[in-house]
Amino acid sequence: MRAIQVQEPGKLSIVEIEKPKISSPYDVLVQVQCVGICGSDVHIYHGSNPFTVYPRVIGHEVSGVVAELGEGVESLQVGDRVSLEPIEFCGTCYACRKGQQNVCESLQVFGVHKDGGMSEFVKAHEQKWHKVNKSISAEAAALIEPLTIGAQATFRGGIQPGDTVFIMGAGPTGIACLLMAKEAGAYVMISDFNTVRLEYATSIGADAVFQPDKEDIEEAIYKETKGELANVVIDAVGTAGTFEQAVRLASVAGTVVTLGFNETPSQIPSLLLTKKELKVVGSRLQTNQFQGVVKKVNKGMISPDELISHRFHYEKVAEAFKKLEEHPEEVRKIVLTF
Ligand SMILES: [Zn+2]
Ligand SMILES: [Zn+2]
């Protein structure tokens, strides 16, 4: 079968590899239909993902149709449309015992630590495949995973109906957070340097949008929240500066959620945390978010299609990467079709 492989940093090709075979009673083999391209795929391409080993078949935002089942599988049938939950964990370490399998000490992410979904077929345990209604498009099903990232940030932020939420960054992750925070009943503000991204955010329900290079964000948030500041601030940019600002912009009894992987230290006085009794929480990947998101997608309460801006046939993957790198402002999500 054919697969998209990063052989070494900077080298991306379509290769012929062996089609996976059912080898355990709970294996499910899926014929891939769509795969979203994520920032982390680009990082692997550039050699800037510390967890990956080359060569690597990339891709973790995957949908397809069940092609073959192990004899023990009961929850799925051949022909079902499914979306991949792309993480594997040990189940026994401290994180797993705490219910935070997403930070398991032996975490394996498809397309990062092990081969992923940009291939004609993918095999994974029954529990990693979530069935979606056939009325949901294959493209939409592939983008359930990025929505679960927004669902995780919403969960980690403890967002309640009526909360004011400020999301920094209106790229794909910020937009996923926006969709999920709105779905949770919050009043959502979002910022970005790019006007097109902000217009888009408004079109899908943002209550207020801000441009940090055109206005004083701290003043704008102060005004918009009548001096209370934001109950939950989600930093989807992740620079030293945005993290500092997130802490300043959080209200009393508020929560700051970080999604970035930046290694530059921020200067945050303990006074701000103590005085406002802030919670600062990280949000990485997701745990137990698929079921909730799939249910909402099946019911039509959220449409992952919202995230798609471009589509390419998988053989044109080089073109898709070029688009993403040269015009990131035009791209929300690119979906590859198989
Ligand atoms: Zn992703
Ligand atoms: Zn574990």
Side-chain angles (χ1 to χ4, degrees):
M1 68 168 185
R2 305 182 86 195
I4 297 168
Q5 191 185 61
V6 179
Q7 279 135 335
E8 56 188 77
K11 197 168 172 223
L12 180 83
S13 358
I14 296 174
V15 295
E16 191 67 36
I17 57 168
E18 212 178 316
K19 182 177 162 184
K21 286 190 186 74
I22 300 284
S23 56
S24 110
Y26 302 104
D27 276 348
V28 174
L29 184 71
V30 165
Q31 179 165 21
V32 173
Q33 289 182 302
C34 290
V35 183
I37 302 179
C38 180
S40 63
D41 297 316
V42 179
H43 286 141
I44 293 171
Y45 175 55
H46 286 302
S48 54
N49 184 312
F51 306 114
T52 215
V53 178
Y54 300 89
R56 177 62 67 233
V57 174
I58 53 175
H60 58 268
E61 302 173 359
V62 185
S63 73
V65 171
V66 174
E68 226 181 297
L69 302 167
E71 62 207 13
V73 176
E74 286 181 353
S75 63
L76 294 167
Q77 289 183 328
V78 170
D80 281 347
R81 173 160 288 160
V82 287
S83 176
L84 176 67
E85 176 167 359
I87 60 169
E88 289 180 348
F89 39 83
C90 76
T92 56
C93 74
Y94 179 68
C96 286
R97 296 199 309 275
K98 287 266 287 181
Q100 291 174 253
Q101 300 90 333
N102 50 331
V103 288
C104 169
E105 60 183 31
S106 18
L107 181 75
Q108 296 271 303
V109 180
F110 283 78
V112 182
H113 305 82
K114 58 183 288 181
D115 277 347
M118 289 191 191
S119 57
E120 291 176 291
F121 290 88
V122 173
K123 181 180 83 170
H125 190 282
E126 171 183 21
Q127 287 170 353
K128 305 298 164 196
W129 295 109
H130 294 268
K131 187 174 160 175
V132 295
N133 286 355
K134 288 209 173 112
S135 59
I136 305 300
S137 71
E139 293 178 341
L143 295 186
I144 286 174
E145 194 275 344
L147 280 183
T148 65
I149 306 305
Q152 180 78 6
T154 302
F155 160 70
R156 294 287 290 157
I159 295 175
Q160 300 292 317
D163 279 356
T164 54
V165 175
F166 175 44
I167 300 165
M168 302 166 110
T173 303
I175 291 294
C177 292
L178 165 63
L179 286 168
M180 299 313 297
K182 282 302 293 178
E183 182 42 45
Y187 182 86
V188 186
M189 304 164 278
I190 188 163
S191 68
D192 203 284
F193 288 112
N194 187 275
T195 331
V196 180
R197 284 182 164 182
L198 290 181
E199 278 166 10
Y200 177 71
T202 304
S203 77
I204 58 163
D207 297 291
V209 297
F210 306 115
Q211 236 173 320
D213 50 339
K214 302 250 165 77
E215 60 200 312
D216 182 335
I217 290 296
E218 304 199 13
E219 208 178 286
I221 297 288
Y222 184 88
K223 267 194 200 150
E224 193 68 25
T225 59
K226 302 187 175 64
E228 186 175 86
L229 301 178
N231 305 138
V232 180
V233 182
I234 299 175
D235 180 6
V237 177
T239 65
T242 54
F243 183 37
E244 287 166 11
Q245 196 168 46
V247 171
R248 284 199 298 274
L249 286 174
S251 73
V252 286
T255 304
V256 172
V257 183
T258 69
L259 289 154
F261 278 89
N262 196 309
E263 293 186 62
T264 315
S266 306
Q267 293 202 318
I268 295 171
S270 60
L271 168 77
L272 271 183
L273 303 187
T274 312
K275 195 175 146 201
K276 298 197 275 189
E277 207 170 48
L278 287 189
K279 283 194 284 289
V280 177
V281 297
S283 185
R284 183 178 172 201
L285 306 164
Q286 59 77 39
T287 3
N288 306 319
Q289 299 299 331
F290 263 80
Q291 263 135 353
V293 173
V294 166
K295 208 184 255 177
K296 285 175 182 154
V297 169
N298 277 342
K299 283 187 183 161
M301 291 158 78
I302 23 172
S303 19
D305 311 64
E306 301 274 18
L307 297 169
I308 304 170
S309 58
H310 298 78
R311 297 163 172 87
F312 288 87
H313 186 263
Y314 81 95
E315 286 170 348
K316 301 233 161 94
V317 62
E319 232 172 273
F321 267 66
K322 202 165 165 233
K323 180 88 198 166
L324 188 59
E325 301 214 83
E326 289 176 3
H327 301 282
E329 73 290 345
E330 289 174 22
V331 176
R332 287 191 300 277
K333 267 287 170 193
I334 298 178
V335 169
L336 298 175
T337 54
F338 279 76

